Amino acid sequence: MIVMKFGGSSVEDATAISRLVSVVRTQLDRHPVVVVSAMGKTTNALLECARLAATGELGAAYYKLETISAHHFNTASQLTLPDEIGSLRKALNKRFDDICSVLVEIDKAGQLTPRSSDAISSNGELLSSLIVAAAMRAEGIDGVWVDVRPAMQTNDDFTRAVVRFDTANPELKSLFTRALSEGGVPVTQGFIGSTAGVVTTTIGRGGSDYSASIIGAALDAEEIQIWTDVDGIMTTDPRIVPETVKVKVISFAEAAELAYFGAKVLHPSTLLPAMVKDIPVRVCNSRRPETAGTAIVRHSPPSNALLKAIAFKRGISIINVASDRMLMAHGFLARLFEVFNKHETSVDMVATSEVSVSMTLDDTRRLDQIIADLQEFGDVVVERDQALICLVGENLKFTPGIAARIFSSIKQINVSMISHGASAINVSFIVNGTDVEQAVKGLHQEFFSEFDAETFDAPSVRQAGAPG
Ligand code: ADP
Ligand code: ASP
Ligand code: MG
């Protein structure tokens, strides 16, 4: 079997869903499980409704919800057979009624808890999957709606729940094996799960890619396909550099670095489950299904390209801790990092000298408490609004003089905290947030204005993700 995951833009309206159905049809013989995101920007819109309700603007929340519901009903009526539209409308209505009740609760409470945020945002995927399954049936494919929540078991860290693989894996396997054995095409939700089948959770924004990979690994899929709005993994985000080219094949390690360091095309955790089971992942364009996409495999073939791609992450904070007590003191760093452990916040990059430590964070939710605790160690200075740039490629391991080439191509930009990680397949550094676009453009020009045709494909038609 294979997993086919379709992102928000690949299910955004009736045209996109019809395209999805055609793509699934071409691979029916591979026994697909279809995982979908919410339609278009529905998750953001639902969360906005929740925020309005929390600030006492229930009327405005209902008004916004009306627009969401009109789009879903309108799409459903364009795609569904007349004898099914009644039952589909009923199922969609049930979801909108649930959303309304939670909005009323949020309004009464006067605040938005992570739990009620999940109760609202999880509906995007529940709604889209109902419509996609019905659209398949209207086209003669036996789409079977499957609620993933009882099987995708997580802890109760709402809005970023952690999957409990020990229970989730066997549950997912039995849920989808049963659905597949009946010969239909299961259509299920990315992004959502539940605390042991009881309370609905979500696993973090953009998490549908991760859901697809978890399901693929639990079922020992042949392949996990991520269908999105670009041709594959590009040399950088085409929204910043329209001249990007597509990487044909990339290793798990390279793609994982890119995803972790900000390439939005894959959720940062997507590759972990696939890597463990050695399942190839393919990133494809749902608007141009005839193109091959990017294959992500254990070992990428030998390549002459120095770099595969450039990722970047905005909204980074640097924390500098300076202390004389570090001098010759063992155990200092262990105690310092214990602060991050206590606040469940991960550090991306670290640089140390004899008297200071600099660390970068992109999760700044607990920054104030972290700073307060770190002040016991020395003087703490925080620089906000920084950006991390990460250049990835397995040949970085073998290329002397690469640092000189990287930094001379952006010499007008101030760079800090350079790191050439232990894996040696990435070079990362920090720039001021306002410089990130210029830096990425300069680096792309330096490394990809001429590209190796064995490693990359120039798209014949410009990407949907590109500006314009
Ligand atoms: P989906 O809704 O299908 O999950 P996303 O918007 O989450 O899609 O991810 C696709 C987007 O990722 C692209 O439109 C593109 O702007 C962005 N992106 C960032 N870096 C890259 C990259 N290196 N290659 C391809 N796309 C990238
Ligand atoms: N719909 C969710 C989000 O917008 C999950 C996803 O699209 O991957 O974050
Ligand atoms: Mg995504």
Side-chain angles (χ1 to χ4, degrees):
M1 58 81 60
I2 59 170
V3 174
M4 304 177 79
K5 176 262 168 176
F6 292 85
S9 54
S10 306
V11 291
E12 66 188 357
D13 55 19
T15 315
I17 295 175
S18 298
R19 265 192 313 251
L20 172 159
V21 175
S22 325
V23 171
V24 170
R25 186 189 301 289
T26 61
Q27 302 197 53
L28 284 177
D29 56 336
R30 300 179 79 189
H31 309 290
V33 168
V34 173
V35 176
V36 294
S37 291
M39 291 173 69
K41 305 263 178 268
T42 301
T43 311
N44 285 349
L46 288 170
L47 287 169
E48 180 57 21
C49 293
R51 272 187 288 272
L52 286 167
T55 51
E57 294 177 74
L58 191 58
Y62 282 151
Y63 187 73
K64 177 132 199 132
L65 189 61
E66 205 42 56
T67 320
I68 303 172
S69 116
H71 182 54
H72 282 78
F73 281 103
N74 181 22
T75 307
S77 58
Q78 290 179 60
L79 294 168
T80 315
L81 289 175
D83 61 343
E84 265 215 57
I85 189 73
S87 58
L88 177 60
R89 282 216 181 101
K90 211 166 141 198
L92 298 179
N93 264 325
K94 157 92 183 62
R95 300 256 59 94
F96 284 108
D97 289 349
D98 277 4
I99 297 172
C100 286
S101 335
V102 183
L103 288 177
V104 169
E105 280 170 28
I106 295 171
D107 174 59
K108 275 198 197 129
Q111 60 161 339
L112 181 59
T113 61
R115 179 177 168 146
S116 43
S117 173
D118 280 357
I120 297 277
S121 67
S122 53
N123 283 288
E125 275 69 10
L126 290 164
L127 289 162
S128 62
S129 52
L130 283 164
I131 298 174
V132 168
M136 281 188 188
R137 293 191 295 270
E139 293 293 326
I141 299 173
D142 185 17
V144 181
W145 184 78
V146 176
D147 186 345
V148 82
R149 288 174 296 175
M152 188 66 83
Q153 301 195 358
T154 69
N155 70 4
D156 64 357
D157 195 359
F158 295 100
T159 73
R160 52 169 195 171
V162 177
V163 174
R164 296 215 147 115
F165 288 97
D166 49 347
T167 48
N169 279 340
E171 294 284 343
L172 289 166
K173 187 164 179 126
S174 86
L175 179 66
F176 289 106
T177 308
R178 211 176 325 127
L180 284 167
S181 69
E182 285 158 18
V185 177
V187 179
T188 196
Q189 308 78 35
F191 181 53
I192 69 174
S194 74
T195 58
V198 182
V199 186
T200 299
T201 54
T202 67
I203 61 171
R205 293 305 307 271
S208 294
D209 302 326
Y210 186 32
S211 302
S213 179
I214 294 169
I215 294 169
L219 276 100
D220 293 296
E222 254 170 67
E223 186 174 69
I224 297 159
Q225 301 176 351
I226 306 290
W227 290 87
T228 183
D229 61 355
V230 281
D231 274 359
I233 296 189
M234 312 300 289
T235 43
T236 193
D237 189 342
R239 281 175 216 263
I240 302 296
V241 181
E243 301 79 26
T244 50
V245 290
K246 184 192 81 189
V247 187
K248 291 183 189 169
V249 185
I250 193 165
S251 68
F252 281 134
E254 290 170 317
E257 296 276 2
L258 289 169
Y260 186 75
F261 288 112
K264 190 183 170 231
V265 64
L266 290 175
H267 178 274
S269 306
T270 309
L271 295 166
L272 291 172
M275 277 161 95
V276 171
K277 291 280 184 87
D278 199 8
I279 302 171
V281 176
R282 186 173 283 278
V283 180
C284 311
N285 190 343
S286 64
R287 294 198 174 99
R288 305 198 321 126
E290 67 287 355
T291 57
T294 297
I296 310 173
V297 295
R298 180 168 294 274
H299 299 294
S300 56
S303 158
N304 292 324
L306 198 52
L307 292 185
K308 291 281 174 57
I310 304 168
F312 54 90
K313 207 152 57 160
R314 294 188 170 95
I316 299 285
S317 296
I318 305 181
I319 306 183
N320 297 297
V321 182
S323 165
D324 292 343
R325 274 177 289 149
M326 270 183 83
L327 220 61
M328 315 287 285
H330 62 82
F332 184 89
L333 285 179
R335 290 196 299 280
L336 194 95
F337 282 113
E338 187 45 45
V339 171
F340 293 91
N341 188 27
K342 174 177 155 196
H343 295 292
E344 294 176 2
T345 299
S346 62
V347 169
D348 287 338
M349 271 172 76
V350 184
T352 64
S353 77
E354 198 45 31
V355 289
S356 73
V357 189
S358 304
M359 292 148 293
T360 69
L361 307 184
D362 72 340
D363 175 1
T364 51
R365 282 176 298 182
R366 301 191 188 162
L367 188 56
D368 290 343
Q369 296 104 297
I370 291 172
I371 293 171
D373 285 355
L374 288 176
Q375 271 156 349
E376 290 180 17
F377 293 84
D379 297 332
V380 180
V381 177
V382 178
E383 297 170 63
R384 293 172 203 259
D385 300 324
Q386 304 294 300
L388 189 155
I389 297 182
C390 175
L391 289 74
V392 174
E394 276 172 357
N395 286 344
L396 282 173
K397 272 187 215 157
F398 313 113
T399 313
I402 183 75
R405 193 166 157 205
I406 294 171
F407 296 113
S408 59
S409 70
I410 49 167
K411 49 177 172 290
Q412 66 288 16
I413 290 169
N414 190 35
V415 167
S416 58
M417 286 189 68
I418 300 164
S419 144
H420 185 33
S423 70
I425 65 165
N426 85 51
V427 173
S428 311
F429 50 88
I430 301 290
V431 299
N432 201 302
T434 51
D435 290 334
V436 65
E437 286 201 15
Q438 196 195 346
V440 170
K441 285 182 174 141
L443 289 161
H444 197 274
Q445 167 77 20
E446 172 69 21
F447 289 99
F448 299 108
S449 54
E450 280 172 27
F451 60 87
D452 170 33
E454 298 261 299
T455 312
F456 305 101
D457 253 347
S460 48
V461 176
R462 260 303 134 205
Q463 304 293 299

